[in-house]
Amino acid sequence: MILTDVTLAEAGPDGFALTGDAAIAIEGGRIAFAGPAADLPPGGQRRSMGGRLVTAGLIDCHTHLVFGGDRAREFDMRLNGASYEEIARAGGGILSTVRATRAADEGALLAAALRRADHLIAEGVTTVEIKSGYGLDLETELRMLRVARRIGQERPLRIVTTWLAAHALPPEYRDDRAGYIDHVVIAGMEAAHAEGLVDAVDGFCEGIAFSPEEMERIFDRAAALGLPVKLHAEQLSDLGGAAMAARHGAISADHLEWLGADGIAAMAGAGTVAVLLPGAFYALRETRMPPVQGLRDAGVPIALATDCNPGTSPLTSILLAMNMGATLFRLTPAECLAGVTANAARALGLSDRGRIAPGMLADLAVWDIAHPAELAYRIGYNPLHARIIGGDLA
Ligand SMILES: N=CN[C@@H](CCC(=O)O)C(=O)O
Ligand SMILES: [Zn+2]
């Protein structure tokens, strides 16, 4: 198939690059040609896109899309002054979603997750990363990742799965942190890897979760299995998690509100992507900004994601995440687009998507907009005209 009469929109550190009067030729699910229509070889089955703007399919590189229940009442408590940490220490927070997720069977988890995935699909998302982390026992953690994989069978959506058993300590291991890490986090990671369920390993490095030293032990085992690592780091305090993750060659460090100069330098040196999550910043009414200018100055690639989760970011709009990236974090609209395309792919360790170039997967989004800055500028408006995945309109 050849898409004609399109404007190609890409984003990089120097802003947007637009190619008008362009065409995209697709063969075998991949892009064979992308550029000025005048350079396109003759022939082929052509389909006009009516002059519309085309970007790479959007990539949501940090979600907790599979979970049971919701946390609406906790939201109410937070509005009345309780902090996220206070609620977590009182057995709410992540652990309340763990109780609901353990109680839900595969069918119930899948049905709820599909509804959330459909919102992302409707906004041009073609790849979604989904983490475990609300089971905290072997059986439920594996169930979460099986459900995540099934989403990719039920919908035209590419799924990347991440092992996040190091998300919180379950009550049954309250007095045995090392036992939890050995018997659930590491043993489960090996079982999930053997079942082909894991693409990367993550953890929540925070005072209310796991220390950098505990995460290092997990990362060493991930490396032995050949699995890339990433980390929720410096969200609520600075424990040096991002620098530790960078030393372990992490593909991304995520959140980063408390990231300091050492962490930035370590990430720059290791090529670790900074995944910023403005939905959590907004919902927790945080005031400390991630160090965006420091990341830019050091050349650390910046990605943006929804962080869709029931506690701190009940957000299923990648376009709103882009808008928040601009309004809350002062990213440029071009940085926002790069953050959900090329840099999001990099945060997942993927080099086959996120750009419109020969050899890339033919995952594209076609928009009813005049300029790509509109994607970050509008609030609560979806200008998607069509979504193409593997060369198919879907
Ligand atoms: N920060 C840790 N994990 C999630 C929150 C999970 C929850 O509260 O349920 C996050 O990415 O924001
Ligand atoms: Zn998260």
Side-chain angles (χ1 to χ4, degrees):
M1 178 169 64
I2 299 173
L3 305 178
T4 59
D5 203 9
V6 297
T7 295
L8 307 180
E10 300 252 52
D14 301 324
F16 290 114
L18 299 179
T19 311
D21 296 323
I24 303 170
I26 297 168
E27 282 170 22
R30 291 190 182 252
I31 297 171
F33 169 90
D39 299 342
L40 183 70
Q45 189 195 340
R46 295 174 181 230
R47 186 181 186 121
S48 171
M49 288 289 117
R52 290 188 177 84
L53 197 133
V54 179
T55 65
L58 306 189
I59 298 169
D60 194 350
C61 68
H62 181 140
T63 86
H64 307 250
L65 204 75
V66 174
F67 57 84
D70 67 71
R71 303 244 287 278
R73 270 169 296 174
E74 174 183 317
F75 178 55
D76 206 7
M77 286 164 69
R78 283 211 315 269
L79 290 174
N80 281 299
S83 76
Y84 182 62
E85 289 100 320
E86 280 163 4
I87 291 170
R89 291 203 173 93
I94 292 172
L95 291 182
S96 79
T97 300
V98 169
R99 290 188 286 275
T101 305
R102 286 179 177 179
D105 66 16
E106 210 170 297
L109 288 175
L110 180 64
L114 284 174
R115 295 191 64 180
R116 296 187 274 271
D118 285 339
H119 280 267
L120 297 173
I121 289 170
E123 290 188 343
V125 170
T126 48
T127 295
V128 179
E129 184 258 14
I130 302 176
K131 303 174 194 296
S132 71
Y134 289 123
L136 311 186
D137 61 29
L138 284 179
E139 186 193 323
T140 318
E141 287 289 305
L142 292 170
R143 184 158 78 246
M144 287 184 71
L145 292 191
R146 286 188 201 114
V147 168
R149 289 278 204 241
R150 278 182 65 188
I151 294 170
Q153 292 155 10
E154 300 281 334
R155 294 289 188 273
L157 187 62
R158 301 186 197 275
I159 306 295
V160 174
T161 49
T162 301
W163 182 252
L164 179 62
H167 196 196
L169 190 71
E172 61 272 23
Y173 279 96
R174 190 170 290 133
D175 300 319
D176 186 11
R177 298 181 68 86
Y180 178 68
I181 291 172
D182 285 335
H183 304 312
V184 179
V185 180
I186 291 175
M189 174 169 75
E190 289 167 354
H193 177 62
E195 206 181 311
L197 287 174
V198 194
D199 297 313
V201 172
D202 197 349
F204 185 19
C205 189
E206 194 55 70
I208 54 171
F210 295 91
S211 69
E213 294 70 30
E214 289 170 328
M215 284 311 309
E216 285 202 89
R217 197 148 71 79
I218 298 163
F219 283 177
D220 286 340
R221 297 306 295 262
L225 295 175
L227 289 169
V229 299
K230 47 177 53 224
L231 193 65
H232 290 65
E234 273 76 85
Q235 180 187 13
L236 308 169
S237 61
D238 184 1
L239 297 186
M244 180 280 291
R247 283 198 302 278
H248 286 258
I251 47 178
S252 76
D254 304 37
H255 286 290
L256 303 177
E257 280 82 345
W258 288 78
L259 183 69
D262 291 357
I264 295 174
M267 288 176 68
T272 303
V273 176
V275 178
L276 304 186
L277 303 169
F281 176 90
Y282 167 83
L284 292 178
R285 300 170 65 99
E286 298 281 351
T287 49
R288 190 182 169 103
M289 293 257 290
V292 168
Q293 192 55 46
L295 292 167
R296 278 188 192 119
D297 292 344
V300 176
I302 298 174
L304 277 175
T306 62
D307 190 17
C308 175
N309 78 69
T312 61
S313 190
L315 172 65
T316 45
S317 170
I318 193 82
L319 293 174
L320 190 50
M322 291 171 73
N323 174 265
M324 289 177 171
T327 52
L328 298 177
F329 293 164
R330 300 275 184 262
L331 296 177
T332 66
E335 286 173 325
C336 293
L337 180 58
V340 297
T341 53
N343 290 347
R346 200 166 155 185
L348 298 177
L350 299 170
S351 54
D352 61 356
R353 67 198 78 177
R355 289 186 301 122
I356 308 177
M360 293 279 149
L361 293 170
D363 294 356
L364 302 164
V366 185
W367 304 97
D368 275 322
I369 51 176
H371 192 276
E374 289 182 56
L375 294 176
Y377 152 74
R378 294 185 187 277
I379 305 173
Y381 179 75
N382 181 5
L384 188 77
H385 171 75
R387 200 182 71 119
I388 294 166
I389 183 159
D392 296 324
L393 276 167

Short mmCIF file of all heavy atoms in Angstrom, two decimals, residues 62 64 71 74 78 84 93-95 97 131 133-134 164 167 203-204 206 208-209 232 235-236 254-255 277 280 284 307-313, ligand 1:
data_model
loop_
_atom_site.label_atom_id
_atom_site.label_comp_id
_atom_site.label_asym_id
_atom_site.label_seq_id
_atom_site.Cartn_x
_atom_site.Cartn_y
_atom_site.Cartn_z
N HIS A 62 4.99 3.71 29.60
CA HIS A 62 4.94 3.42 31.05
C HIS A 62 3.48 3.36 31.47
O HIS A 62 2.83 4.40 31.63
CB HIS A 62 5.69 4.50 31.83
CG HIS A 62 5.73 4.30 33.32
ND1 HIS A 62 6.85 4.57 34.08
CD2 HIS A 62 4.79 3.87 34.21
CE1 HIS A 62 6.60 4.33 35.36
NE2 HIS A 62 5.34 3.90 35.46
N HIS A 64 0.45 0.93 33.96
CA HIS A 64 0.06 -0.18 34.84
C HIS A 64 -1.39 -0.49 34.43
O HIS A 64 -2.31 -0.35 35.23
CB HIS A 64 0.12 0.25 36.30
CG HIS A 64 1.43 0.85 36.73
ND1 HIS A 64 2.29 0.21 37.60
CD2 HIS A 64 2.04 2.03 36.44
CE1 HIS A 64 3.36 0.97 37.83
NE2 HIS A 64 3.23 2.09 37.13
N ARG A 71 -9.40 3.28 42.90
CA ARG A 71 -8.99 3.91 44.17
C ARG A 71 -9.69 5.25 44.33
O ARG A 71 -9.11 6.22 44.84
CB ARG A 71 -7.47 4.05 44.20
CG ARG A 71 -6.73 2.71 44.02
CD ARG A 71 -5.91 2.31 45.22
NE ARG A 71 -4.73 3.12 45.34
CZ ARG A 71 -3.59 2.93 44.67
NH1 ARG A 71 -3.49 1.92 43.83
NH2 ARG A 71 -2.57 3.71 44.87
N GLU A 74 -9.71 6.56 47.88
CA GLU A 74 -8.40 7.07 48.29
C GLU A 74 -8.19 8.48 47.74
O GLU A 74 -7.60 9.35 48.39
CB GLU A 74 -7.32 6.12 47.78
CG GLU A 74 -5.93 6.62 48.00
CD GLU A 74 -4.90 5.68 47.40
OE1 GLU A 74 -5.05 4.45 47.56
OE2 GLU A 74 -3.96 6.18 46.77
N ARG A 78 -7.16 11.79 49.81
CA ARG A 78 -6.04 12.68 49.49
C ARG A 78 -6.52 14.12 49.35
O ARG A 78 -5.85 15.06 49.77
CB ARG A 78 -5.35 12.22 48.20
CG ARG A 78 -4.42 11.03 48.40
CD ARG A 78 -3.24 11.06 47.44
NE ARG A 78 -3.63 11.37 46.09
CZ ARG A 78 -3.96 10.46 45.17
NH1 ARG A 78 -3.90 9.18 45.47
NH2 ARG A 78 -4.31 10.83 43.97
N TYR A 84 0.04 10.59 49.95
CA TYR A 84 0.18 9.28 49.29
C TYR A 84 0.94 8.31 50.20
O TYR A 84 0.54 7.16 50.39
CB TYR A 84 0.92 9.48 47.96
CG TYR A 84 1.12 8.24 47.13
CD1 TYR A 84 0.05 7.51 46.64
CD2 TYR A 84 2.41 7.79 46.82
CE1 TYR A 84 0.23 6.37 45.87
CE2 TYR A 84 2.61 6.67 46.04
CZ TYR A 84 1.52 5.95 45.58
OH TYR A 84 1.72 4.83 44.82
N GLY A 93 -3.28 2.53 49.28
CA GLY A 93 -2.36 2.72 48.17
C GLY A 93 -2.23 1.46 47.33
O GLY A 93 -3.21 0.75 47.07
N ILE A 94 -1.00 1.15 46.93
CA ILE A 94 -0.75 0.02 46.05
C ILE A 94 -1.36 -1.26 46.63
O ILE A 94 -1.96 -2.07 45.91
CB ILE A 94 0.78 -0.14 45.82
CG1 ILE A 94 1.30 1.05 45.00
CG2 ILE A 94 1.10 -1.46 45.12
CD1 ILE A 94 2.83 1.11 44.88
N LEU A 95 -1.26 -1.43 47.98
CA LEU A 95 -1.74 -2.69 48.56
C LEU A 95 -3.25 -2.85 48.43
O LEU A 95 -3.75 -3.97 48.37
CB LEU A 95 -1.31 -2.80 50.03
CG LEU A 95 0.20 -2.99 50.23
CD1 LEU A 95 0.53 -3.13 51.72
CD2 LEU A 95 0.74 -4.20 49.45
N THR A 97 -4.96 -1.97 45.79
CA THR A 97 -5.13 -2.50 44.43
C THR A 97 -4.65 -3.95 44.35
O THR A 97 -5.18 -4.75 43.59
CB THR A 97 -4.38 -1.61 43.42
OG1 THR A 97 -4.93 -0.29 43.50
CG2 THR A 97 -4.53 -2.12 42.00
N LYS A 131 2.97 -3.07 32.93
CA LYS A 131 3.75 -3.65 34.02
C LYS A 131 2.90 -4.58 34.87
O LYS A 131 1.69 -4.35 35.02
CB LYS A 131 4.27 -2.54 34.93
CG LYS A 131 5.12 -1.51 34.20
CD LYS A 131 5.49 -0.35 35.14
CE LYS A 131 6.03 0.84 34.37
NZ LYS A 131 7.26 0.62 33.65
N GLY A 133 2.84 -5.94 39.01
CA GLY A 133 3.12 -5.15 40.20
C GLY A 133 1.94 -4.95 41.13
O GLY A 133 2.07 -4.30 42.17
N TYR A 134 0.77 -5.51 40.76
CA TYR A 134 -0.38 -5.45 41.66
C TYR A 134 -0.79 -6.85 42.13
O TYR A 134 -1.90 -7.03 42.60
CB TYR A 134 -1.56 -4.74 41.00
CG TYR A 134 -1.36 -3.25 40.82
CD1 TYR A 134 -1.45 -2.66 39.57
CD2 TYR A 134 -1.10 -2.42 41.92
CE1 TYR A 134 -1.28 -1.29 39.40
CE2 TYR A 134 -0.92 -1.05 41.76
CZ TYR A 134 -1.02 -0.50 40.50
OH TYR A 134 -0.86 0.85 40.35
N LEU A 164 7.32 -6.12 37.38
CA LEU A 164 7.41 -5.10 38.45
C LEU A 164 6.96 -5.68 39.79
O LEU A 164 6.21 -5.07 40.53
CB LEU A 164 6.59 -3.85 38.06
CG LEU A 164 6.53 -2.68 39.05
CD1 LEU A 164 7.88 -2.06 39.32
CD2 LEU A 164 5.55 -1.61 38.59
N HIS A 167 7.33 -3.72 43.47
CA HIS A 167 6.50 -2.51 43.45
C HIS A 167 6.15 -2.11 44.88
O HIS A 167 6.11 -0.93 45.22
CB HIS A 167 5.23 -2.79 42.63
CG HIS A 167 4.47 -1.58 42.20
ND1 HIS A 167 3.17 -1.63 41.75
CD2 HIS A 167 4.82 -0.27 42.15
CE1 HIS A 167 2.76 -0.42 41.43
NE2 HIS A 167 3.74 0.43 41.66
N GLY A 203 11.34 -1.65 38.97
CA GLY A 203 11.13 -1.65 40.42
C GLY A 203 10.74 -0.25 40.87
O GLY A 203 10.92 0.72 40.13
N PHE A 204 10.19 -0.17 42.09
CA PHE A 204 9.81 1.12 42.67
C PHE A 204 10.85 1.40 43.75
O PHE A 204 10.85 0.75 44.80
CB PHE A 204 8.40 1.03 43.24
CG PHE A 204 7.83 2.33 43.76
CD1 PHE A 204 8.34 3.57 43.41
CD2 PHE A 204 6.72 2.31 44.61
CE1 PHE A 204 7.79 4.76 43.88
CE2 PHE A 204 6.16 3.48 45.10
CZ PHE A 204 6.71 4.71 44.74
N GLU A 206 12.06 3.60 46.42
CA GLU A 206 11.49 4.70 47.20
C GLU A 206 11.46 4.28 48.66
O GLU A 206 11.50 3.07 48.96
CB GLU A 206 10.08 5.00 46.67
CG GLU A 206 9.46 6.30 47.10
CD GLU A 206 10.32 7.53 46.79
OE1 GLU A 206 10.49 7.88 45.62
OE2 GLU A 206 10.82 8.11 47.77
N ILE A 208 9.03 4.07 50.63
CA ILE A 208 7.88 3.21 50.91
C ILE A 208 7.92 1.93 50.08
O ILE A 208 6.96 1.16 50.10
CB ILE A 208 6.54 3.94 50.65
CG1 ILE A 208 6.49 4.51 49.23
CG2 ILE A 208 6.29 5.00 51.70
CD1 ILE A 208 5.13 5.06 48.83
N ALA A 209 9.02 1.70 49.37
CA ALA A 209 9.07 0.50 48.51
C ALA A 209 10.43 -0.19 48.67
O ALA A 209 10.70 -0.78 49.72
CB ALA A 209 8.78 0.88 47.07
N HIS A 232 11.43 3.00 38.58
CA HIS A 232 10.70 4.15 39.13
C HIS A 232 11.67 4.80 40.14
O HIS A 232 11.95 4.19 41.18
CB HIS A 232 9.47 3.70 39.89
CG HIS A 232 8.35 3.14 39.06
ND1 HIS A 232 8.46 1.99 38.36
CD2 HIS A 232 7.09 3.60 38.87
CE1 HIS A 232 7.29 1.74 37.74
NE2 HIS A 232 6.45 2.71 38.04
N GLN A 235 10.88 9.72 42.60
CA GLN A 235 9.53 10.30 42.47
C GLN A 235 9.19 11.15 43.69
O GLN A 235 8.67 12.25 43.56
CB GLN A 235 8.47 9.20 42.30
CG GLN A 235 7.05 9.78 42.17
CD GLN A 235 5.95 8.75 42.17
OE1 GLN A 235 6.18 7.59 42.51
NE2 GLN A 235 4.74 9.16 41.81
N LEU A 236 9.46 10.61 44.90
CA LEU A 236 9.04 11.28 46.13
C LEU A 236 10.22 11.75 46.97
O LEU A 236 10.06 12.53 47.90
CB LEU A 236 8.16 10.33 46.96
CG LEU A 236 6.97 9.70 46.21
CD1 LEU A 236 6.34 8.58 47.03
CD2 LEU A 236 5.92 10.76 45.87
N ASP A 254 12.28 6.52 35.50
CA ASP A 254 10.95 7.12 35.31
C ASP A 254 10.50 7.91 36.54
O ASP A 254 10.82 7.53 37.66
CB ASP A 254 9.94 6.00 35.01
CG ASP A 254 10.33 5.13 33.81
OD1 ASP A 254 11.53 4.86 33.62
OD2 ASP A 254 9.44 4.71 33.07
N HIS A 255 9.76 8.97 36.32
CA HIS A 255 9.27 9.96 37.31
C HIS A 255 10.29 11.10 37.44
O HIS A 255 10.12 12.15 36.85
CB HIS A 255 8.97 9.35 38.69
CG HIS A 255 7.73 8.53 38.75
ND1 HIS A 255 6.47 9.07 38.67
CD2 HIS A 255 7.54 7.20 38.88
CE1 HIS A 255 5.56 8.11 38.76
NE2 HIS A 255 6.18 6.96 38.88
N LEU A 277 6.33 11.62 33.88
CA LEU A 277 4.96 11.14 34.06
C LEU A 277 4.11 12.25 34.66
O LEU A 277 3.84 12.28 35.87
CB LEU A 277 4.99 9.89 34.96
CG LEU A 277 5.91 8.77 34.40
CD1 LEU A 277 6.14 7.68 35.42
CD2 LEU A 277 5.33 8.19 33.11
N ALA A 280 0.95 11.63 37.11
CA ALA A 280 1.17 11.37 38.53
C ALA A 280 1.52 12.67 39.25
O ALA A 280 1.06 12.93 40.37
CB ALA A 280 2.26 10.33 38.72
N LEU A 284 -1.03 13.88 42.16
CA LEU A 284 -0.51 13.99 43.54
C LEU A 284 -0.29 15.45 43.94
O LEU A 284 0.17 15.72 45.04
CB LEU A 284 0.80 13.21 43.68
CG LEU A 284 0.69 11.68 43.58
CD1 LEU A 284 2.06 11.03 43.68
CD2 LEU A 284 -0.24 11.11 44.65
N ASP A 307 1.46 6.67 32.53
CA ASP A 307 1.57 6.04 33.85
C ASP A 307 0.20 5.54 34.30
O ASP A 307 -0.09 5.52 35.51
CB ASP A 307 2.16 7.01 34.87
CG ASP A 307 2.52 6.35 36.19
OD1 ASP A 307 2.63 5.12 36.22
OD2 ASP A 307 2.68 7.07 37.20
N CYS A 308 -0.67 5.19 33.35
CA CYS A 308 -2.03 4.77 33.72
C CYS A 308 -2.00 3.79 34.89
O CYS A 308 -1.46 2.69 34.77
CB CYS A 308 -2.72 4.15 32.51
SG CYS A 308 -4.35 3.49 32.93
N ASN A 309 -2.53 4.19 36.02
CA ASN A 309 -2.62 3.32 37.20
C ASN A 309 -3.74 3.84 38.07
O ASN A 309 -4.15 5.00 37.96
CB ASN A 309 -1.27 3.27 37.94
CG ASN A 309 -0.99 4.49 38.79
OD1 ASN A 309 -1.65 4.71 39.80
ND2 ASN A 309 -0.02 5.32 38.39
N PRO A 310 -4.28 2.98 38.96
CA PRO A 310 -5.47 3.40 39.70
C PRO A 310 -5.20 4.37 40.84
O PRO A 310 -6.13 5.00 41.35
CB PRO A 310 -6.00 2.07 40.27
CG PRO A 310 -4.78 1.22 40.39
CD PRO A 310 -3.89 1.59 39.23
N GLY A 311 -3.92 4.53 41.23
CA GLY A 311 -3.64 5.33 42.41
C GLY A 311 -3.20 6.74 42.09
O GLY A 311 -3.87 7.72 42.45
N THR A 312 -2.08 6.85 41.38
CA THR A 312 -1.48 8.17 41.21
C THR A 312 -1.68 8.77 39.83
O THR A 312 -1.32 9.93 39.62
CB THR A 312 0.04 8.10 41.46
OG1 THR A 312 0.60 7.20 40.49
CG2 THR A 312 0.36 7.60 42.86
N SER A 313 -2.25 8.01 38.90
CA SER A 313 -2.40 8.56 37.56
C SER A 313 -3.51 7.81 36.80
O SER A 313 -3.22 7.05 35.88
CB SER A 313 -1.07 8.49 36.79
OG SER A 313 -1.15 9.21 35.57
N1 LIG B 1 5.19 5.03 41.74
C1 LIG B 1 4.85 3.84 41.81
N2 LIG B 1 3.96 3.20 41.07
C2 LIG B 1 2.88 3.83 40.41
C3 LIG B 1 1.80 4.14 41.38
C4 LIG B 1 1.10 2.93 41.73
C5 LIG B 1 -0.08 3.08 42.64
O1 LIG B 1 -0.15 3.97 43.50
O2 LIG B 1 -0.93 2.21 42.48
C6 LIG B 1 3.35 5.02 39.60
O3 LIG B 1 4.11 4.78 38.64
O4 LIG B 1 3.00 6.17 39.83
#
